[in-house]
């Protein structure tokens, strides 16, 4: 390969912003020290930096710094929120949980783990645009529903749920409400002062911060309690123990500061690029956009190319780095469960590509991508017996396929 | 997924892509797989009167290994008798292309496609004999 | 005033070579190790290389290494994960474990397991008779740390493990303070699971690992994307894991030099401490070479730590993780030390960067501060 592929996989992970890296490095080299070690200044410098970062994270989402608990990432935040709240409130509220079939695996598998120890769960199917129907959500609430978990932005199709409306339903029904906002920070305005949300998960590495650090928002008024999932020295007011990586926390703080200051400008820029990509790709026959285009983050495009097999497509476009399905599951060859949940058939699910644009994507990158897709999809369709059949007017869904 | 050089070569420069006249009594067609499984292979062979495969064409909807497997067999088939073709084993294809374990099914599919094409030509020949 | 860091058991400075391998993944390289494109594959290769380095450092196979975000997480994972897969029984832990073993063990009590602690003797060594007696009741798991973070005392793990296995119990060891300080051989230790951590050996904060006997069934602590063969979900912290891997390699390579150097400093320090009338803990048994734990009668540990800090010496009054509370060291209490004496405990833990001159200066300053504090106490009295 002559050059590095064009990176269009910002929803899997973003590069660390150079400004973030610059702030982190001194904490790796000079200011070492365990922030929980209060007896000497190596520890003090670290503690101050950690608290500044906590302020920055809180500011981006309209929270109080005291409501922010550090974790090792969104997976841990989701596990802590869901298992922690469900276990804490099970005896008073009940043991039923509501979540959405298109949630991240960290939410789904945490709920499954609770099912294993005696909870029950409803996995609500979203509508075909990926959004939750509020009436169906309301109807899913039972007298013993303790917790609902709904992601703000879907990692694959980028749709934004109506968190305020869902949160209000939860409030009316005395249900604890958790929101996975890992994909939302820096993309969607979040104001927890107003949003009826009790617990919210964040991570740094989807917002130009480092990997290995995240946070959980835990509401103070009205106070939400969670049972710790990791025990030890009693860091983070007992909610989460374990030595904290100061450089990573500082990096998350800076990343979230930049997100707060530059979000408006950045979203306008990425939206323009995304729309250009969208129009370019829609000029190819038989393409299907997955997920609602209106209630959607500005940098995501998930699109299926009919009559082209997904893996061969990925292979054909290796000059660009994209995902077919969620990054966390793309090691397996199963079609995306998110696309199946919104009613896409296996073929379209298999042939979907998620393009996610970011801070360092250029106009030229998008133009190159459009041309690449046009030529490669065309080439693969020339190879495809299904494309022939489609062109001959055969309805492929009616064909009796030999079992395989 | 790391692909072998041979897979990449066949994938980037597939041999014998296309179709033959399916109504030709000397053309056998094998279509195997299903879109929902992620692979469909269509293999067509043209057999002369001495039972030797003169031409082979394919079209494949599938991953790189599936495309390479079908491309490879079209090369192998030309010049062989239909009986020789019938005896091609998926393991030979997998070995030639150095397929990883998760891609062995692609070679199985290619073997199935050959068998289906051979079966089709035999059925056509039988029907022709009965008609005669 | 320059600061002298004598608290290497709490955390260590990042090695410059380690920083070098981390930087590309913090500054230039993007890529989620689960992604299939070339950025993802590069990240994956780095994680797998580090896994080999960690495995080599403890003489295990790479497939036995599960990366976590910290030693604390690995310990929680071990206690929770091993016990959860078994019928309710006992969890036995030594009386001198770090809170990230004792607290998760206690948390398992609310889920139906019984957590009991195994006594230690005056020298911090596990009481094998007590262990033997406790094992009479059905036991799921025995967790005993390899080397104590405060006293540095090393337990006879292989012997403990043999006894526990005879009673069909699994064995876990928190070896965070052992890695890089003593030879470690996972197979010889005969344990089923072992915790190691990056930031105690010149690696970055943010990485740890649980080394597993593959016959062991264990439940994950974090559920989700299925990373680490489903045993630890969450996007891999590539930079920290890369740093951890190299730190392991370097720690093992430098083990002999580390041991010789820090032991020299420790011996020199303890010679001086004895002259000043210090009570030295664990001195008569096998310890990691860099650690000295001691107390002076009638001197508060916290007060002395603060006084030394003002003179430029960073030392600890106990485990860093519990520095928030002023309770006397639970380790010393378990050893049968009087609370009044235990309240005076100070830990110094040396690293390769420390020098003989620093130790000599420390002893001089310590003598002055002791005199000053004793004078102060006398006035107050």
């Amino acid at each position: 390969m002559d050059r590095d592929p064009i990176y269009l996989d910002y929803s899997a992970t973003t590069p660390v912003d150079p400004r973030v890296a610059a702030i982190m490095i001194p904490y790796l080299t000079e200011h070492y020290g365990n922030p929980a070690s209060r007896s000497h200044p190596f520890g003090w410098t670290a503690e101050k930096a950690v608290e500044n970062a906590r302020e920055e994270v809180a500011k981006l989402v309209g929270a109080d710094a005291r409501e922010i608990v550090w974790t090792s990432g969104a997976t841990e935040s989701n596990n802590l929120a869901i298992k922690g709240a469900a276990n804490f409130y099970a005896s008073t509220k009940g043991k039923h949980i509501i979540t959405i079939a298109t949630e991240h695996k960290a939410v789904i598998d945490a709920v499954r783990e609770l099912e294993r120890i005696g909870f029950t769960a409803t996995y609500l199917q979203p509508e075909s645009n990926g959004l939750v129907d509020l009436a169906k959500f309301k109807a899913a609430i039972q007298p013993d529903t303790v917790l609902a978990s709904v992601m703000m932005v879907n990692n694959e199709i980028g749709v934004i749920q109506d968190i305020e409306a869902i949160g209000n339903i939860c409030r009316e029904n005395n249900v604890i409400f958790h929101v996975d906002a890992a994909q939302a920070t820096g993309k969607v305005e979040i104001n927890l002062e107003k949003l009826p949300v009790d617990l919210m998960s964040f991570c740094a590495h989807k917002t130009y911060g480092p990997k290995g650090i995240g946070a959980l928002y835990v509401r103070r008024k009205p106070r939400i309690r969670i049972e710790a999932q990791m025990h030890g020295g009693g860091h983070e007011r007992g909610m989460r123990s374990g030595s904290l990586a100061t450089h990573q926390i500082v990096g998350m703080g800076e990343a979230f500061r930049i997100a707060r200051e530059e979000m408006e400008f950045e979203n306008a820029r990425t939206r323009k690029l995304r729309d250009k990509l969208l129009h370019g790709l829609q000029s190819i026959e038989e393409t299907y956009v997955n997920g609602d285009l209106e209630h959607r983050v500005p940098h995501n495009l998930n699109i299926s190319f009919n009559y082209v097999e997904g893996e061969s497509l990925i292979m054909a476009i290796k000059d660009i780095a994209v995902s077919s399905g969620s990054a966390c599951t793309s090691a397996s060859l199963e079609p995306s469960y998110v696309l199946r949940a919104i009613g896409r058939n296996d073929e379209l699910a298999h042939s979907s590509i998620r393009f996610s644009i970011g801070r360092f994507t250029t106009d030229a990158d998008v133009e190159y991508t459009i041309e690449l897709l046009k030529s490669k999809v065309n080439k693969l369709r020339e190879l495809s017996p299904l494309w022939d059949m489609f062109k001959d007017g055969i309805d492929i869904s009616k064909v009796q396929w030999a079992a395989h | 997924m790391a692909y072998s050089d041979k897979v990449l070569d066949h994938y980037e420069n597939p041999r014998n892509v296309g179709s033959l006249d399916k109504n030709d009594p000397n053309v056998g067609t094998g279509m195997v797989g299903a879109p929902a499984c992620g692979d469909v292979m269509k293999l067509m062979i043209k057999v002369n009167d001495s039972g030797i495969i003169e031409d082979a064409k394919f079209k494949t909807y599938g991953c790189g290994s599936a495309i390479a497997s079908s491309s490879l067999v079209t090369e192998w088939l030309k010049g062989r008798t239909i009986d020789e073709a019938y005896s091609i084993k998926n393991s030979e294809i997998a070995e030639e292309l150095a397929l990883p374990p998760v891609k062995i099914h692609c070679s199985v599919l290619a073997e199935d496609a050959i068998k289906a094409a051979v079966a089709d030509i035999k059925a056509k020949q039988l029907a022709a004999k009965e008609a005669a | 005033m320059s600061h002298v860091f004598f608290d290497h058991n709490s955390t260590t400075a990042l090695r410059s070579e380690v920083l070098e391998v981390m930087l590309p993944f913090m500054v230039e390289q993007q890529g989620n190790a689960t992604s299939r494109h070339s950025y993802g594959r590069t990240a994956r290769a780095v994680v797998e290389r580090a896994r080999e380095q960690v495995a080599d450092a403890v003489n295990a196979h790479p497939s036995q290494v599960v990366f976590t975000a910290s030693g604390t997480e690995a310990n929680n994972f071990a206690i929770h994960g091993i016990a959860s897969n078994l019928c309710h029984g006992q969890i036995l832990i030594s009386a001198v474990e770090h809170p990230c073993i004792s607290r998760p063990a206690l948390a398992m009590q609310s889920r139906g397991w019984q957590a009991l602690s195994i006594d230690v003797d005056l020298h911090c060594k596990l009481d094998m008779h007590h262990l033997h007696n406790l094992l009479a009741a059905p036991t799921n798991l025995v967790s005993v740390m390899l080397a104590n973070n405060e006293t540095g005392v090393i337990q006879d793990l292989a012997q403990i493990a043999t006894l526990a296995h005879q009673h069909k119990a699994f064995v876990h060891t928190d070896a965070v303070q052992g890695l890089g300080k003593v030879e470690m051989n996972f197979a010889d230790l005969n344990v089923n699971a072992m915790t190691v951590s990056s930031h105690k050996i010149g690696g970055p904060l943010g990485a740890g690992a649980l080394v597993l006997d593959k016959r062991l069934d264990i439940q994950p602590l974090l559920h989700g994307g299925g990373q680490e063969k489903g045993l630890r979900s969450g996007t891999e912290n590539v930079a920290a894991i890369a740093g951890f891997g190299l730190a392991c390699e370097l720690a093992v390579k430098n083990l002999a030099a580390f041991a010789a150097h820090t032991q020299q400093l420790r011996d020199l320090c303890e010679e001086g401490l004895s002259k000043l009338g210090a009570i030295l803990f664990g001195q008569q048994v096998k310890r990691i070479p860099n650690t000295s734990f001691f107390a002076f009668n009638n001197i508060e540990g916290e007060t002395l730590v603060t006084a030394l800090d003002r003179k430029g010496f960073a030392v600890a009054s106990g485990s860093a993780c519990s520095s928030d509370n002023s309770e006397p060291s639970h380790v010393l209490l378990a050893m049968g030390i009087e609370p009044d004496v235990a309240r005076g405990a100070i830990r110094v833990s040396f690293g390769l960067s420390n020098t003989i001159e620093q130790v000599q200066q420390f002893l001089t300053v310590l003598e002055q501060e002791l005199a000053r504090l004793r004078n102060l106490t006398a006035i107050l009295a």
Side-chain angles (χ1 to χ4, degrees):
Chain A
M1 201 170 299
D2 310 321
R3 58 186 183 108
D4 285 341
I6 295 169
Y7 194 76
L8 293 174
D9 205 9
Y10 283 78
S11 296
T13 187
T14 55
V16 175
D17 188 290
R19 292 168 286 180
V20 172
I23 275 202
M24 287 168 68
I25 289 163
Y27 286 91
L28 272 171
T29 53
E30 294 155 34
H31 310 292
Y32 66 93
N34 183 335
S37 193
R38 286 170 194 271
S39 48
H40 48 75
F42 294 102
W44 291 340
T45 315
E47 191 184 2
K48 189 158 172 271
V50 165
E51 295 318 311
N52 281 344
R54 208 190 294 274
E55 283 287 345
E56 288 297 347
V57 169
K59 261 194 224 170
L60 178 67
V61 296
D64 183 302
R66 289 169 297 179
E67 297 175 310
I68 302 297
V69 174
W70 300 117
T71 68
S72 65
T75 292
E76 189 188 330
S77 297
N78 286 334
N79 274 263
L80 174 58
I82 291 168
K83 295 177 197 166
N87 281 316
F88 190 90
Y89 291 103
S91 59
T92 52
K93 288 179 185 278
K95 296 184 111 180
H96 174 249
I97 298 163
I98 301 172
T99 190
I100 312 300
T102 48
E103 291 293 307
H104 191 272
K105 283 279 181 201
V107 167
I108 300 223
D109 286 1
V111 174
R112 289 219 187 286
E113 172 63 13
L114 287 170
E115 282 187 285
R116 203 179 66 90
I117 61 167
F119 285 79
T120 58
T122 301
Y123 301 87
L124 262 185
Q125 294 294 322
E127 302 305 294
S128 61
N129 59 3
L131 296 171
V132 174
D133 181 293
L134 296 177
K136 287 181 189 166
F137 181 84
K138 201 169 183 174
I141 293 177
Q142 300 175 7
D144 63 339
T145 302
V146 53
L147 173 80
S149 181
V150 178
M151 72 205 310
M152 184 170 257
V153 172
N154 183 271
N155 49 315
E156 294 192 28
I157 54 178
V159 297
I160 305 168
Q161 302 292 353
D162 189 348
I163 294 302
E164 189 175 356
I166 298 169
N168 283 328
I169 297 171
C170 289
R171 281 279 156 86
E172 285 157 20
N173 291 277
N174 201 20
V175 170
I176 308 275
F177 186 36
H178 166 251
V179 173
D180 174 2
Q183 295 281 352
T185 47
K187 314 293 188 310
V188 183
E189 288 276 356
I190 301 171
N191 184 358
L192 286 163
E193 230 174 87
K194 299 220 173 74
L195 272 184
V197 170
D198 300 309
L199 298 154
M200 191 178 267
S201 302
F202 307 108
C203 77
H205 80 96
K206 314 265 190 199
T207 310
Y208 306 93
K211 296 184 182 68
I213 184 73
L216 179 66
Y217 160 86
V218 184
R219 182 173 287 281
R220 284 169 67 92
K221 283 176 194 165
R223 189 183 189 80
I224 296 298
R225 307 283 300 275
I226 51 173
E227 196 184 278
Q229 301 298 302
M230 219 174 291
H231 310 269
H235 313 84
E236 298 295 305
R237 300 188 309 287
M239 284 188 263
R240 197 273 178 189
S241 290
S243 281
L244 301 161
T246 310
H247 68 284
Q248 289 174 188
I249 291 176
V250 168
M252 181 164 180
E254 178 67 359
F256 275 39
R257 182 193 68 77
I258 295 170
R260 177 168 50 85
E261 288 181 357
E262 300 183 359
M263 186 165 147
E264 203 181 320
F265 163 78
E266 186 159 22
N267 284 340
R269 200 187 79 89
T270 53
R271 182 184 300 280
K272 228 173 111 195
L273 291 173
R274 194 271 314 269
D275 289 347
K276 181 175 183 161
L277 181 64
L278 173 67
H279 294 133
L281 297 183
Q282 276 183 327
S283 71
I284 304 172
E285 257 183 288
E286 283 293 303
T287 52
Y288 296 86
V289 173
N290 299 307
D292 195 88
L293 266 174
E294 192 187 328
H295 300 100
R296 192 186 193 101
V297 282
H299 72 301
N300 166 295
L301 178 62
N302 190 311
I303 190 162
S304 293
F305 300 89
N306 209 1
Y307 311 113
V308 174
E309 191 274 335
E311 217 182 311
S312 62
L313 181 59
I314 284 279
M315 205 170 154
I317 56 172
K318 58 182 187 304
D319 291 349
I320 59 173
V322 292
S323 274
S324 54
S326 157
C328 289
T329 51
S330 53
S332 73
L333 300 174
E334 287 290 301
S336 152
Y337 68 94
V338 171
L339 298 184
R340 288 172 94 162
I342 62 168
R344 287 293 186 219
N345 64 26
D346 281 0
E347 295 92 303
L348 282 177
H350 267 302
S351 70
S352 73
I353 301 283
R354 178 188 68 184
F355 300 89
S356 43
I357 288 163
R359 196 169 283 170
F360 308 107
T361 309
T362 63
D363 244 337
D365 291 342
V366 170
E367 281 156 19
Y368 179 87
T369 301
I370 293 168
E371 289 316 309
L372 182 73
L373 264 295
K374 278 183 181 169
S375 100
K376 297 297 181 179
V377 167
N378 189 40
K379 184 190 158 190
L380 288 168
R381 281 180 177 168
E382 275 171 19
L383 269 177
S384 169
L386 302 181
W387 182 248
D388 279 355
M389 293 165 84
F390 165 70
K391 285 284 160 185
D392 290 345
I394 298 168
D395 182 352
I396 286 167
S397 65
K398 302 248 159 64
V399 175
Q400 195 71 37
W401 298 98
H404 165 51
Chain B
M1 179 96 38
Y3 287 98
S4 70
D5 290 345
K6 280 184 181 160
V7 169
L8 286 174
D9 179 38
H10 278 280
Y11 171 74
E12 271 157 22
N13 311 294
R15 333 290 200 251
N16 307 307
V17 177
S19 303
L20 301 167
D21 177 8
K22 66 173 187 285
N23 299 319
D24 182 334
N26 291 326
V27 168
T29 305
M31 178 123 89
V32 293
C37 305
D39 341 72
V40 176
M41 257 179 217
K42 187 178 77 167
L43 178 67
M44 301 184 103
I45 52 175
K46 185 170 186 178
V47 182
N48 68 15
D49 295 339
S50 0
I52 290 172
I53 298 171
E54 279 185 334
D55 200 3
K57 297 273 186 199
F58 85 96
K59 285 213 173 188
T60 289
Y61 164 91
C63 65
S65 300
I67 291 169
S69 297
S70 33
S71 170
L72 175 73
V73 299
T74 58
E75 281 193 321
W76 281 1
L77 288 173
K78 284 194 213 177
R80 295 199 191 195
T81 65
I82 53 172
D83 290 335
E84 284 166 357
Y86 201 85
S87 68
I88 290 174
K89 292 274 175 301
N90 84 286
S91 53
E92 299 167 52
I93 302 165
E95 195 181 329
E96 174 68 17
L97 294 172
L99 296 182
V102 294
K103 292 295 174 189
I104 297 299
H105 72 273
C106 296
S107 64
V108 174
L109 202 62
E111 183 190 321
D112 289 350
I114 299 172
K115 290 198 158 61
V118 169
D120 185 50
I121 192 82
K122 283 191 167 166
K124 272 188 178 176
Q125 287 169 344
L126 194 67
K129 235 182 245 171
E130 277 168 6
Chain C
M1 181 181 57
S2 72
H3 269 278
V4 174
F5 193 72
F6 280 174
D7 195 13
H8 287 85
N9 284 6
S10 148
T11 194
T12 55
L14 192 71
R15 284 172 175 273
S16 54
E17 309 94 307
V18 171
L19 179 64
E20 284 302 304
V21 307
M22 292 173 67
L23 279 179
F25 298 94
M26 288 173 49
V27 184
E28 300 147 32
Q29 288 281 354
Q30 49 230 346
N32 184 321
T34 322
S35 296
R36 287 194 282 166
H37 47 64
S38 59
Y39 297 96
R41 291 199 305 270
T42 306
R44 166 63 47 210
V46 167
V47 170
E48 295 314 315
R49 171 79 190 106
R51 198 185 305 283
E52 286 169 15
Q53 289 168 313
V54 174
D56 283 351
V58 298
N59 194 30
H61 189 269
S63 60
Q64 294 176 273
V65 175
V66 178
F67 284 119
T68 63
S70 64
T72 296
E73 185 190 323
N75 280 339
N76 274 267
F77 173 29
I79 299 286
H80 180 271
I82 297 171
S84 291
N85 250 358
L86 302 165
C87 299
H88 291 172
Q90 296 187 138
I91 299 170
L92 303 180
I93 63 169
S94 88
V96 294
E97 293 299 310
H98 193 274
C100 61
I101 287 290
S102 55
R103 299 268 170 79
L106 276 176
M108 293 306 284
Q109 294 222 117
S110 63
R111 297 170 177 229
W113 280 267
Q114 181 148 33
L116 294 171
S117 85
I118 316 158
D119 293 344
V120 296
D121 67 13
L122 184 63
H123 308 294
C124 198
K125 294 284 266 191
L126 198 81
D127 181 339
M128 293 299 282
H129 289 290
H130 192 216
L131 173 62
H132 188 265
N133 292 341
L134 288 170
L135 284 168
T139 305
N140 298 136
L141 175 65
V142 175
S143 182
V144 176
M145 70 206 310
L146 186 80
N148 184 266
N149 50 315
E150 298 189 10
T151 60
V153 167
I154 298 169
Q155 303 293 351
D156 302 316
L157 241 297
Q159 203 187 329
I160 292 164
T162 304
L163 180 59
H165 289 323
Q166 281 165 6
H167 291 82
K168 307 227 179 321
F170 290 112
V171 180
H172 165 258
T173 186
D174 173 358
V176 162
Q177 295 293 350
L179 185 63
K181 295 172 188 154
V182 288
E183 291 245 11
M184 286 217 294
N185 185 319
F186 182 74
D188 288 354
L189 286 174
N190 196 19
V191 297
N192 305 98
M194 176 168 87
T195 296
V196 287
S197 169
S198 160
H199 77 105
K200 309 278 189 191
I201 56 162
L205 276 154
L210 189 65
V211 183
L212 287 172
D213 168 354
K214 292 215 277 183
R215 287 164 300 184
L216 183 70
D217 275 333
I218 186 164
Q219 281 285 325
L221 191 63
L222 293 182
H223 295 86
Q227 289 88 347
E228 300 295 303
K229 293 190 196 130
L231 291 177
R232 201 281 182 184
S233 290
T235 296
E236 293 89 342
N237 185 351
V238 182
I241 289 172
F244 182 25
L246 182 61
C248 279
E249 189 182 311
L250 295 173
V252 170
K253 204 191 278 175
N254 293 321
L255 183 68
F258 176 90
H261 180 68
T262 59
Q263 181 147 4
Q264 187 192 14
L265 300 184
R266 203 242 330 250
D267 289 351
L268 178 71
C269 186
E270 291 196 337
E271 204 185 300
L273 289 171
S274 295
K275 282 187 195 145
L276 294 172
I279 306 156
L280 293 156
F281 305 113
Q283 204 191 13
Q284 289 149 48
V285 293
K286 201 174 154 203
R287 285 179 294 170
I288 48 176
N290 74 324
T291 305
S292 185
F293 200 36
F294 57 91
F296 292 97
N297 273 321
N298 303 321
I299 298 281
E300 256 259 324
E302 281 292 335
T303 314
L304 188 52
V305 166
T306 311
L308 287 167
D309 179 52
R310 275 203 291 266
K311 296 287 173 185
F313 290 93
V315 300
S317 57
S319 138
C321 292
S322 53
S323 297
D324 259 351
N325 58 48
S326 51
E327 289 293 299
S329 150
H330 77 285
V331 173
L332 292 177
L333 296 184
M335 288 159 63
I337 307 294
E338 288 300 320
D340 276 351
V341 177
R343 238 182 282 277
I346 300 275
R347 179 187 70 188
V348 298
S349 47
F350 301 108
L352 270 176
S353 59
N354 296 129
T355 63
I356 290 178
E357 290 70 40
Q358 288 174 342
V359 175
Q360 287 164 340
Q361 285 160 11
F362 172 72
L363 289 168
T364 309
V365 167
L366 179 64
E367 187 170 11
Q368 291 162 358
E369 289 304 307
L370 282 172
R372 193 177 62 80
L373 290 172
R374 285 198 171 118
N375 198 20
L376 204 65
T377 325
I379 293 165
L380 288 176

